Amino acid sequence: MITCAEMPRVRRVCVLAWGGAAVSWELSAPGRLGTSLASCAAFLLLAAGCALHIRRGLMAELRRSQEIADAAQRALLRPLPGRIGGLTLAAAQLSASRGAAVGGDLYEAVPTAYGVRVVIGDVRGHGLPALGAAAAVLGAFREAAYDEPALGGVLVRMERALARHVRDPEGPSEEFVTVLLLQIVEDGSVTALNCGHPWPYLLREPQPLEPCGARRSAPQAFEARGPGRSPRSGRGGVGKGSARRVTDVRTFDGGETLPPLGVVPVPDGLAGADCGHLWPGDVLFLHTDGAEDARDPAGCFFPLRSVLAERPADTPARLVAGVHAALLHHTRGQLTDDVALLVLRSDRSDRSR
């Protein structure tokens, strides 16, 4: 049986076979050579017209298929609003599958009665084959984020949706998903649950540093708890009597990391980890491991942290676009894994710290 995917090739073969048979018959038939050549030219023109007509039909069918695929992909990974609950957002997704707008990475941010809830995740594998698991997990989050009062309840609902998707009566499935859940309440407090996903980076807006020897009296822009909180400045030195602007990039770490969804069951009554506060102007850069694992032709990893320190973080959209461009330049456009980027900036009014 000929499938729909094989129809264009079958049509091309039929047109070429018909044209070749017609030309061979005309050249082998007795008669004047000029008449035969004229008949061959007529047959060739007719075959070319038929081929162009078929090609136009195939191109129209391809455009319709692309429109349907784009609509389905936008429904799965719909554009985020520019602002949610005092946060400015921007996101981008790069698929390792050529022609696909989405792949195995997922993200979403929704305003709920419990605060702004954010998810970013990465399905095992990449490209179009990972879409099913991504859709199951993302759909469960979009429903549970509004209903569950605790982040642990949201995570359990996502795990159950993934289990239903990968259930195989012939044997266990090896499908799993890394997930990072964040909850940001009105006062800027952040709670997180991490299932095998990279922790995000925290960026502070560039601050002018006073000359060497001068006492700095400005308050710190971020307060966090847990390990790995020492500030790291951008590149460059401070000369005598000089001043510079730096972007402070540090890991926004919530401590314990759980196994990915689908590996072991999520324990009941799981509580989110307290990660401190997002103060006005603070920027959270969330990403999947495809960003830091991307390599150039020489095998060097993409220096995400350094790129973040060098890129201006004045707007989330500009930061996402800059990292996006740097990533494609580093890999020469040859990605081997899907990449998702999500940036959140706190624009709430200043409060007492």
Side-chain angles (χ1 to χ4, degrees):
M1 179 181 293
I2 299 175
T3 64
C4 294
E6 297 171 343
M7 283 301 297
R9 180 178 298 178
V10 172
R11 291 170 181 170
R12 288 195 296 269
V13 171
C14 290
V15 170
L16 292 175
W18 178 80
V23 170
S24 300
W25 181 79
E26 283 293 337
L27 292 177
S28 61
R32 296 182 178 181
L33 181 60
T35 303
S36 297
L37 290 177
S39 299
C40 289
F43 277 119
L44 289 175
L45 288 175
L46 182 60
C50 292
L52 288 175
H53 177 73
I54 293 174
R55 183 178 183 276
R56 282 196 296 268
L58 293 176
M59 291 302 296
E61 182 179 346
L62 178 61
R63 283 193 296 270
R64 287 192 296 270
S65 300
Q66 188 65 48
E67 291 173 357
I68 295 172
D70 290 343
Q73 292 171 6
R74 285 194 299 269
L76 171 63
L77 210 59
R78 59 196 181 195
L80 297 179
R83 287 181 60 83
I84 296 179
L87 300 174
T88 302
L89 298 86
Q93 211 273 355
L94 297 172
S95 176
S97 293
R98 185 175 181 180
V102 297
D105 292 350
L106 57 102
Y107 57 78
E108 182 63 286
V110 294
T112 72
Y114 314 102
V116 177
R117 286 180 166 174
V118 181
V119 64
I120 187 168
D122 186 0
V123 180
R124 177 180 179 270
H126 62 268
L128 295 176
L131 279 178
V137 172
L138 198 53
F141 170 80
R142 286 170 175 162
E143 180 180 353
Y146 293 100
D147 301 334
E148 296 291 338
L151 276 184
V154 178
L155 195 63
V156 169
R157 297 267 292 272
M158 295 167 65
E159 181 193 40
R160 290 174 180 172
L162 178 64
R164 288 192 296 267
H165 170 74
V166 302
R167 187 175 293 120
D168 184 359
E170 298 180 358
S173 171
E174 297 182 355
E175 195 83 71
F176 63 83
V177 184
T178 67
V179 167
L180 173 65
L181 284 177
L182 298 179
Q183 178 175 287
I184 307 171
V185 299
E186 187 176 356
D187 66 355
S189 300
V190 182
T191 306
L193 280 176
N194 191 335
C195 294
H197 199 82
W199 287 102
Y201 287 110
L202 175 87
L203 287 72
R204 286 169 44 199
E205 291 184 352
Q207 300 290 333
L209 299 185
E210 298 180 5
C212 290
R215 174 175 292 180
R216 183 174 180 178
S217 58
Q220 294 293 319
F222 171 68
E223 173 185 278
R225 304 177 183 86
R229 307 307 172 124
S230 59
R232 299 187 182 182
S233 60
R235 298 191 308 179
V238 180
K240 183 178 180 180
S242 64
R244 63 183 175 89
R245 295 176 67 85
V246 298
T247 299
D248 183 14
V249 181
R250 64 183 76 177
T251 301
F252 195 77
D253 190 346
E256 181 184 6
T257 299
L258 302 171
L261 293 184
V263 176
V264 296
V266 174
D268 295 330
L270 191 63
D274 182 6
C275 296
H277 284 75
L278 272 184
W279 300 118
D282 284 346
V283 175
L284 271 185
F285 185 90
L286 288 72
H287 62 285
T288 55
D289 59 5
E292 291 185 307
D293 292 345
R295 304 193 186 199
D296 63 8
C300 298
F301 289 103
F302 179 63
L304 178 60
R305 191 171 194 139
S306 300
V307 170
L308 291 175
E310 297 168 356
R311 290 292 185 278
D314 49 354
T315 65
R318 185 177 178 184
L319 180 60
V320 167
V323 175
H324 185 167
L327 181 61
L328 290 178
H329 176 75
H330 180 81
T331 61
R332 307 297 190 269
Q334 302 297 321
L335 293 174
T336 57
D337 195 5
D338 303 325
V339 177
L341 310 176
L342 173 59
V343 177
L344 311 170
R345 186 184 66 190
S346 175
D347 290 335
R348 295 182 172 95
S349 59
D350 200 358
R351 292 177 173 84
S352 174
R353 301 172 187 176

